[in-house]
Amino acid sequence: MPRTALAGVLALQGDVPEHKAVLVELLGQERVVAVRSKEDLANVAALIIPGGESTTFSRLLDATGLRSEVLHRVKDGMGILATCAGLILVATQVERSRSGNDPKPLGLLDVSVRRNDYGRQVDSFEAPLEFEGLKGEPLMASFIRAPRILKVGKQVHVLALYEDSPVAVRQENVWGLTFHPEISGDTRVHRLFLQACKMF
Ligand code: GLN
């Protein structure tokens, strides 16, 4: 991967500044972009889809033309780190909600998910996780209106579990986390992902 390869944060909505700050710390300002249009994706080799509201993301992906461009670039080898609402967006299957207001997922990661399954905003919590490939102390993970992964496909590799449910998974270049890794000050997950995308 050339040194000019960029890391991007999908900046349509959600936890954009926090992820950008981690990327800037690891790669430097000049290698980090906020992605708002198809054109912004041009030199991006590693894309973060942050937490936020998956129904809003889904709508904005269509409105900006980014849906088809992201699908195309992932087939070309671009890496994706999708967290929380991001994970819902990359899943193959999202359980229908009672409201019927559901996102249309990209179908890049063979998991089925149920939104908000750990409770409401007030039920948000932190938990230490053993995360495959991370040395040292357990990773403190923040779960904020998190989705639950109900089922994983055969090609999906589980990187971390919480109470017997997968909370971090990977299918080749697409990574999905049910929690937020960007607010603890621990940059190890971002680093591991960027290494897998050959950004270092
Ligand atoms: N509950 C949100 C959704 O379903 C996700 C929450 C988050 O990203 N922190 O889109």
Side-chain angles (χ1 to χ4, degrees), residues 15 50-57 83-86 88 103 114-117 119 121 142-147 178-180:
D15 288 334
E53 192 54 47
S54 51
T55 47
T56 310
F57 270 123
T83 76
C84 206
I88 297 166
R114 179 186 293 148
R115 295 170 64 203
N116 305 321
D117 201 47
Q121 193 80 15
S142 303
F143 293 83
I144 305 169
R145 291 200 305 128
T178 64
F179 58 88
H180 289 251

Side-chain angles (χ1 to χ4, degrees), residues 79-94:
I80 289 194
L81 174 64
T83 76
C84 206
L87 165 72
I88 297 166
L89 271 184
V90 295
T92 45
Q93 210 190 341
V94 181

Side-chain angles (χ1 to χ4, degrees), residues 39-52:
E39 293 70 33
D40 294 333
L41 264 190
N43 295 311
V44 171
L47 177 70
I48 293 181
I49 305 185

